[in-house]
Amino acid sequence: MTTATATATTAAVGTLRTGHIGLNVTDLDRSLAFYRDALDFALLGEGKEEGRRFAFLGRDGELVLTLWQQAEGSYLPTAAGLHHLAFTAGGIEEVRAYEERLRGLGVAFAHEGVVAHAEGAASGGIFFHDPDGTRLEISVPTGAEGAPAPTESAPTCGFF
């Protein structure tokens, strides 16, 4: 490897960030309604062909989530792959507003109300599931001071 090659390779390291998340779903219409109505994602585009359906969801024109109708069963928390999908809110008030909206839609929560990520942590949020059982989190880095931590010895987002 030449010095020029090493420099170019080194310069590129550290630029990665999450682009978008793709989720397999069992019913595109149901999942699309959930992510649009419950979490305010806008439909950026979709494809509906025989045996192939998908939807691109985002915010402010930026792709955040792709739903692929190709799952034959619900999310399996014991299978390798996605553990949970976490969204960061602008503040604890926004987390509570989503909690209220989700409750109004009949969404079941893994824990009651806002919980801390760990005992004594300032970070925390709400934990729930999408229509296929995929584990979801909406949290903030501060604002959950004093909220209970459901698990003493592990992060709350690790086991729900």
Side-chain angles (χ1 to χ4, degrees):
M1 179 185 290
T2 67
T3 304
T5 303
T7 302
T9 302
T10 303
V13 172
T15 60
L16 290 178
R17 65 181 184 87
T18 303
H20 70 274
I21 302 295
L23 295 178
N24 285 337
V25 300
T26 58
D27 181 329
L28 183 64
D29 294 327
R30 179 182 68 174
S31 292
L32 180 56
F34 174 82
Y35 283 97
R36 186 185 54 228
D37 299 345
L39 301 180
D40 287 330
F41 284 107
L43 178 63
L44 302 179
E46 63 185 315
K48 294 184 178 181
E49 307 168 358
E50 183 62 36
R52 299 175 69 113
R53 294 187 64 207
F54 59 90
F56 298 124
L57 303 173
R59 291 235 166 90
D60 301 321
E62 183 176 338
L63 178 62
V64 175
L65 185 64
T66 305
L67 304 175
W68 304 96
Q69 184 173 300
Q70 58 187 12
E72 294 180 8
S74 296
Y75 173 81
L76 295 173
T78 57
L82 179 73
H83 180 273
H84 73 283
L85 178 55
F87 299 103
T88 302
I92 196 69
E93 299 80 19
E94 186 178 354
V95 173
R96 292 190 194 285
Y98 274 111
E99 176 188 9
E100 184 177 329
R101 175 185 291 181
L102 292 163
R103 285 195 191 285
L105 293 170
V107 173
F109 288 77
H111 307 291
E112 186 57 38
V114 172
V115 295
H117 278 134
E119 195 70 41
S123 65
I126 55 175
F127 300 83
F128 54 101
H129 300 86
D130 80 357
D132 283 309
T134 301
R135 297 182 284 201
L136 302 172
E137 168 187 356
I138 299 175
S139 62
V140 288
T142 61
E145 295 88 347
T151 307
E152 290 182 27
S153 61
T156 302
C157 61
F159 300 96
F160 72 100

